[in-house]
Amino acid sequence: MIYSIRDLRLSFPDLAHKPLFGAAPRVEVLKGISFDVPRGDVLGIVGGSGSGKSTLGRTMLRLLEPDAGQIVFDGRDISHLSETDLRPLRRRFQMIFQDPMSSLNPRLTVGRIIAGPVALHGFDDVWDRVRQALDNVGLPQSFASRYPHELSGGQRQRVGIARSIAVEPDFILADEIVSGLDVSSQAQVLNLLERLVADLGLTLGFVSHDLSVVRRLCSHVLVLHHGEVVENAANKQVFEAPEAEYTQSLLDAIPLPDPKQIWF
């Protein structure tokens, strides 16, 4: 297993209800979550707004520290490691963010955006890796001299993907990365992810509220509702024979085209 999560719990202070004196009450966001991620799997993490899916992803990468429970990454418990102890592991789990415009430094060229993490993690062949990463995501090497504002949304998302794969991670978390793209760009990014998983042997966590996208891309699906796992099963079972009523409600909400509707 690349990940084993056991009884994971996380809470945040409820500042809206903080008393004048004393600490704010805490709101539990992750409520005893347990699951495994086999190496090479593509795990879909789905749920409605506020279900805790993005928080779970960030906690898996130790961008957030859990209150309780266990996060085991490739056999090592990283639940409460210090940042110093985490630093050598950071290369091995990477994240692609939802909004590439806010996650890419507008003052840096694409080449420098990709090169930064490569150099930070101690690789010598920095620019060779930059060129290879651009090639892997289907962008011309001439894009290394461009700035994020000169790219389309789909191209910026490819840069985010290139930055993550350039350091040869074992696990990548993609957080709602196609939600802001048009249908054509979504399809291109999904095709790219499928190819990279196959070619590079990646394990992928794919956070999304769009079940139609998850159905196409993911081999396994984790459904969250109010911070709890209500479904944890293979793709086929979740979409053809869901066990949880909440999962069925999500499936029922998938928009379907009306065959009687004709567009001219």
Side-chain angles (χ1 to χ4, degrees):
M1 295 293 170
I2 193 70
Y3 265 106
S4 290
I5 310 295
R6 293 293 177 270
D7 197 27
L8 194 65
R9 297 178 181 275
L10 179 70
S11 62
F12 293 130
D14 184 4
L15 300 180
H17 296 93
K18 183 183 183 303
L20 183 60
F21 300 102
R26 299 188 71 85
V27 176
E28 196 170 28
V29 181
L30 303 179
K31 304 173 182 178
I33 290 178
S34 299
F35 64 96
D36 295 316
V37 185
R39 190 178 296 274
D41 201 11
V42 181
L43 173 70
I45 304 174
V46 303
S49 178
S51 62
K53 55 187 184 297
S54 291
T55 300
L56 172 60
R58 285 166 168 76
T59 308
M60 290 173 66
L61 301 190
R62 273 301 318 276
L63 299 177
L64 299 169
E65 183 173 357
D67 297 340
Q70 192 176 48
I71 307 169
V72 177
F73 174 76
D74 198 21
R76 183 174 182 181
D77 189 343
I78 65 170
S79 312
H80 302 287
L81 288 183
S82 67
E83 190 54 44
T84 299
D85 291 332
L86 277 170
R87 193 169 296 127
L89 294 171
R90 289 286 183 199
R91 176 194 67 80
R92 299 185 59 195
F93 41 82
Q94 294 289 306
M95 184 168 184
I96 310 167
F97 295 90
Q98 178 177 0
D99 181 5
M101 198 59 195
S102 63
S103 65
L104 302 179
N105 191 329
R107 298 182 179 181
L108 298 182
T109 62
V110 166
R112 292 194 174 277
I113 287 170
I114 301 171
V118 175
L120 179 67
H121 289 294
F123 291 99
D124 295 325
D125 50 343
V126 174
W127 290 101
D128 286 340
R129 287 180 175 274
V130 170
R131 287 187 285 269
Q132 183 61 53
L134 287 172
D135 184 58
N136 282 339
V137 300
L139 291 177
Q141 293 186 10
S142 60
F143 273 47
S145 61
R146 295 193 183 185
Y147 289 86
H149 72 269
E150 298 177 298
L151 309 180
S152 69
Q155 290 168 341
R156 286 193 290 266
Q157 202 55 279
R158 286 173 183 262
V159 172
I161 296 171
R163 178 174 59 182
S164 69
I165 65 173
V167 295
E168 297 184 1
D170 297 296
F171 177 81
I172 292 179
L173 181 78
D175 188 8
E176 297 273 15
I177 66 169
V178 298
S179 62
L181 303 179
D182 59 62
V183 174
S184 175
S185 296
Q186 281 190 11
Q188 292 173 15
V189 170
L190 292 174
N191 287 338
L192 172 62
L193 289 175
E194 287 177 329
R195 180 171 59 79
L196 291 176
V197 166
D199 292 351
L200 303 181
L202 294 174
T203 307
L204 181 67
F206 189 82
V207 177
S208 181
H209 65 277
D210 189 340
L211 286 180
S212 60
V213 171
V214 169
R215 183 171 196 170
R216 170 186 164 178
L217 180 66
C218 302
S219 52
H220 203 94
V221 182
L222 192 75
V223 182
L224 298 186
H225 183 48
H226 295 322
E228 296 181 290
V229 175
V230 297
E231 195 98 39
N232 179 8
N235 181 307
K236 184 179 178 66
Q237 179 179 327
V238 169
F239 285 95
E240 295 184 8
E243 294 183 356
E245 184 177 335
Y246 178 71
T247 305
Q248 186 61 59
S249 70
L250 292 178
L251 295 174
D252 292 341
I254 298 175
L256 298 174
D258 184 354
K260 296 180 181 179
Q261 184 72 49
I262 300 175
W263 297 92
F264 293 95

